[in-house]
Amino acid sequence: MRQELIPGVVIDSEIAFGKPVIAGTRLPVALVLGQLAAGVPEGELCAEYELQPEHIRAALRYAAWLARQETYHAGPGGDPCLAGRRLRCGRRAGGRPSRPFR
C-alpha cells in the first residue's frame, strides 16, 4: 500500500521494505540525505540517480518535517535523551532510568 508522507516522498511496503523513498523511484530518502550530508553536489546527485532538483528538495523537506517531530531534553550529565523513547543512554526524557536494551 502506497502512502505519501509529504509531497514527493512516499512509503510503500513493496518498495525498500517500507522505508521512505523519492516518489516515482525506488531511491531511499536516507540515501539522498546521506549523499548531501557527505558533500556530494546536488547536480552530481541528480545526474547519478536521474533525479530532478525537486526530488532533492522533497528529501530535504522530509528531513525538516522529521526533525520537527522529535523532542529532546537534557538527561543526566548533559546527555541528550529523546522524549518518550528509549535511547542507548538507557534513560527516558527527564533523566528517568528505563529498562536497558536487550
Side-chain angles (χ1 to χ4, degrees):
M1 181 169 132
R2 180 177 182 247
Q3 179 184 354
E4 186 173 63
L5 296 175
I6 63 164
V9 175
V10 298
I11 55 173
D12 185 331
S13 60
E14 301 294 318
I15 299 173
F17 304 103
K19 299 283 187 178
V21 297
I22 302 297
T25 75
R26 301 179 75 82
L27 190 64
V29 172
L31 186 140
V32 174
L33 294 172
Q35 293 291 308
L36 289 170
V40 175
E42 183 179 319
E44 186 177 323
L45 197 57
C46 287
E48 178 72 24
Y49 296 104
E50 298 180 6
L51 298 174
Q52 299 299 318
E54 57 264 18
H55 292 132
I56 304 293
R57 286 191 296 278
L60 292 171
R61 277 194 310 273
Y62 174 74
W65 172 81
L66 193 60
R68 285 191 301 271
Q69 307 306 307
E70 305 295 349
T71 303
Y72 292 89
H73 301 280
D79 294 332
C81 288
L82 187 59
R85 294 190 190 175
R86 289 187 194 164
L87 295 180
R88 296 246 178 241
C89 67
R91 305 227 173 236
R92 289 194 180 270
R96 295 185 311 273
S98 64
R99 291 185 176 180
F101 284 93
R102 296 176 191 230

